[in-house]
């Protein structure tokens, strides 16, 4: 089993590729891939809010990534440092699936985040990936709701 390693800014393009190819309902075009890779590279630098663990593919590139975005919340007894994370992407190339790579990368990420004082973890799971997350301690929350809002045309035109 290959050892997962902490991702560096140099891994950003591959992490973005894995997310685009394996998670998003519509893969990103080249312009969006470049935008996301540039932003993620900055966020993976020291002091940035992104943490990721990856497993290298023996044929080059990455086989798997587990990416979390850390954010501040108001502290409380269950989150004394006021740190939470959204697991943004756990993705494995099809040629490397069913080898346990996603599990070891995500476990390494969770251990790293725990050492950093993160105590609140959130993610969105597909039906197929839910058993992996449950093995690592995640539980479904029926109260979690989600919405995407874009500015209206009137707001964007200055009217």
């Amino acid at each position: 089993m290959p050892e997962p390693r902490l991702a560096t800014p140099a891994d950003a393009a591959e992490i973005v590729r894995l997310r685009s190819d394996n998670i998003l309902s519509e893969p990103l075009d080249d312009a969006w891939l470049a935008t996301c890779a540039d932003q993620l590279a900055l966020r993976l630098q020291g002091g940035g809010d992104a943490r990721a663990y990856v497993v290298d593919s023996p044929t080059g590139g990455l086989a798997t990534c587990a990416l979390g975005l850390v954010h501040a919340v108001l502290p409380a007894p269950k989150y004394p440092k006021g740190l939470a994370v959204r697991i943004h992407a756990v993705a494995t190339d099809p040629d490397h699936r069913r080898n346990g790579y996603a599990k070891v990368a995500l476990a390494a990420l969770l251990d790293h985040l725990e050492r950093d004082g993160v105590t609140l973890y959130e993610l969105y799971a597909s039906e197929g990936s839910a058993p992996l997350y449950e093995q690592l301690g995640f539980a479904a929350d029926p109260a979690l709701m989600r919405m995407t809002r874009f500015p209206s045309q009137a707001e964007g035109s200055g009217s």
Side-chain angles (χ1 to χ4, degrees):
M1 170 75 66
E3 284 292 315
R5 65 174 176 79
L6 184 62
T8 69
D11 294 310
E14 271 293 285
I15 293 169
V16 167
R17 178 193 64 79
L18 284 169
R19 175 179 170 257
S20 176
D21 291 353
N22 298 287
I23 295 174
L24 300 180
S25 57
E26 293 182 27
L28 300 173
D29 64 23
D30 289 343
W32 275 110
L33 286 168
T35 297
C36 290
D38 290 346
Q39 188 179 104
L40 181 57
L42 292 172
R43 296 171 81 172
L44 284 169
Q45 292 179 5
D49 68 332
R51 309 286 182 281
Y53 274 79
V54 297
V55 173
D56 293 305
S57 169
T59 59
L62 297 179
T64 297
C65 71
L67 168 66
L69 302 174
V70 178
H71 60 276
V73 296
L74 290 175
K78 290 186 177 181
Y79 353 105
K81 286 194 171 186
L83 293 176
V85 69
R86 177 172 183 244
I87 304 300
H88 190 69
V90 178
T92 303
D93 258 346
D95 291 345
H96 300 289
R97 291 187 181 153
R98 305 285 177 229
N99 291 315
Y101 294 174
K103 185 174 184 176
V104 298
L106 182 55
L109 175 61
L110 296 175
D111 290 346
H112 181 119
L113 293 165
E114 183 179 353
R115 289 190 305 271
D116 284 351
V118 175
T119 54
L120 178 61
Y121 301 81
E122 301 169 333
L123 60 75
Y124 296 100
S126 67
E127 204 173 298
S129 63
L132 165 66
Y133 302 132
E134 289 168 352
Q135 287 176 12
L136 293 170
F138 287 88
D141 183 349
L144 185 63
M145 299 177 77
R146 171 180 172 169
M147 175 175 62
T148 301
R149 289 181 65 170
F150 294 100
S152 70
Q153 292 286 40
E155 289 176 28
S157 67
S159 325

